[in-house]
Amino acid sequence: MKIYGDYHTHTIYSHGKGDIRDNVLRAVEVGLKDIAITDHGLHHVVFGLRKRKIVEMRKKIADLKSEFPSINILLGVEADIDGLGGTIDVKEEERELFDVIVAGYHKAVWPNRFSDFFTYHYSSVYEKVFGAPTAKMRARSTDAYVKAIEKHPIDILSHINYGLGVEVKPVAEACAEFGTYLELNGKRINMTRDEFETVLSTKVQFVADSDAHFPNKVGDTSYVEKYLEGYNIEDRIANLYSTPDFRSRREK
Ligand SMILES: [Zn+2]
Ligand SMILES: [Zn+2]
């Protein structure tokens, strides 16, 4: 599977191993036309971006753009869905700092409100110990995801079910309704076959990304290709031949 653009890659600005330049060099090498640098959100406790770093990142990207005119380089972010009300850790006034917004759930995120720890983040802890969340927990997490998609111009929902189990159907339906792409993540797809087929029964569109944490993984979606063996859904993957129609850009 060859993709046109990779919209989810990490660098040393969060917990990736390469600098922006290394990711861009690899992207050029494998023939991508777009690459997004999407480090973790501004308020992530362990490896979040700091706002002052964004100026530095923009400068690096501007220099790389003149050096490599064949590729379009976007500065994005991988935000955290961090609370029961569907809050994310990129505030409304911070959105304009980014060209593309990826969002998902991550452990070690500081809860948006303290009470969210018990009503929302605890599900992830429970799931780790007991293998799956309770139905009540799953319903709450689903509600947080759906609200996040409604409220924020999330372009790509990353690695659904990773760390926090949700009901995939209402989440996929919300994505379809609001124009958020559901990610087919190059490192992990935490959906059973049944869940994936349920997702396919909705009108959701997909984006296949590497989620590279090492420069040599940029553009690598071989895991997705393998997962999709036997399915013919190329027409639903928005980043195979052109730049997807990102909702955050439409709203700008
Ligand atoms: Zn992630
Ligand atoms: Zn990521």
Side-chain angles (χ1 to χ4, degrees):
M1 173 188 281
K2 185 150 170 44
I3 53 174
Y4 181 90
D6 190 349
Y7 304 96
H8 185 173
T9 76
H10 294 273
T11 71
I12 49 170
Y13 287 93
S14 59
H15 58 162
K17 296 294 176 226
D19 203 340
I20 297 173
R21 184 183 180 83
D22 303 309
N23 283 20
V24 171
L25 280 173
R26 181 63 178 173
V28 170
E29 194 184 329
V30 298
L32 297 183
K33 298 292 177 205
D34 284 343
I35 181 175
I37 305 299
T38 53
D39 284 303
H40 286 283
L42 298 165
H43 309 283
H44 195 292
V45 180
V46 183
F47 25 65
L49 276 177
R50 293 292 166 255
K51 239 167 156 177
R52 63 189 153 78
K53 290 279 181 198
I54 290 173
V55 178
E56 189 182 301
M57 295 171 90
R58 280 277 176 211
K59 167 84 176 86
K60 286 187 182 181
I61 287 174
D63 291 347
L64 287 162
K65 274 182 177 169
S66 45
E67 195 178 344
F68 301 102
S70 71
I71 190 164
N72 188 26
I73 310 163
L74 307 172
L75 179 59
V77 64
E78 185 178 15
D80 293 297
I81 299 172
D82 62 4
L84 198 59
T87 48
I88 64 172
D89 68 346
V90 174
K91 297 197 181 92
E92 201 168 335
E93 65 273 19
E94 293 165 345
R95 275 182 209 158
E96 64 191 38
L97 297 168
F98 304 107
D99 306 318
V100 56
I101 300 175
V102 179
Y105 179 78
H106 301 91
K107 290 166 204 165
V109 169
W110 194 248
N112 197 276
R113 287 172 303 148
F114 187 69
S115 63
D116 280 336
F117 179 80
F118 296 102
T119 54
Y120 177 66
H121 297 266
Y122 179 71
S123 174
S124 175
V125 179
Y126 185 94
E127 200 172 327
K128 196 155 189 197
V129 177
F130 298 102
T134 64
K136 191 176 170 189
M137 287 174 183
R138 195 184 288 275
R140 280 175 158 173
S141 303
T142 302
D143 190 53
Y145 264 63
V146 168
K147 282 188 176 136
I149 295 159
E150 281 172 11
K151 282 186 185 170
H152 313 287
I154 296 168
D155 296 306
I156 300 170
L157 190 70
S158 60
H159 47 61
I160 188 172
N161 273 350
Y162 173 58
L164 194 76
V166 296
E167 292 153 20
V168 295
K169 192 167 189 189
V171 173
E173 282 171 344
C175 284
E177 185 182 347
F178 291 90
T180 295
Y181 295 104
L182 193 69
E183 183 183 63
L184 296 168
N185 184 289
K187 287 173 69 187
R188 55 177 73 89
I189 298 177
N190 299 69
M191 279 186 277
T192 63
R193 288 290 155 192
D194 277 357
E195 284 176 315
F196 184 57
E197 279 163 27
T198 300
V199 162
L200 288 180
S201 76
T202 72
K203 292 194 158 60
V204 76
Q205 298 269 105
F206 303 95
V207 157
D209 283 327
S210 69
D211 195 3
H213 287 65
F214 296 89
N216 68 357
K217 292 286 181 190
V218 169
D220 183 352
T221 51
S222 49
Y223 172 82
V224 177
E225 189 172 353
K226 208 154 184 234
Y227 186 88
L228 294 180
E229 258 168 36
Y231 293 96
N232 190 1
I233 60 156
E234 282 217 346
D235 57 332
R236 293 180 68 176
I237 305 175
N239 66 325
L240 296 185
Y241 306 107
S242 59
T243 308
D245 179 20
F246 289 129
R247 68 184 270 209
S248 72
R249 297 183 147 199
R250 263 184 274 146
E251 289 174 21
K252 264 181 188 171

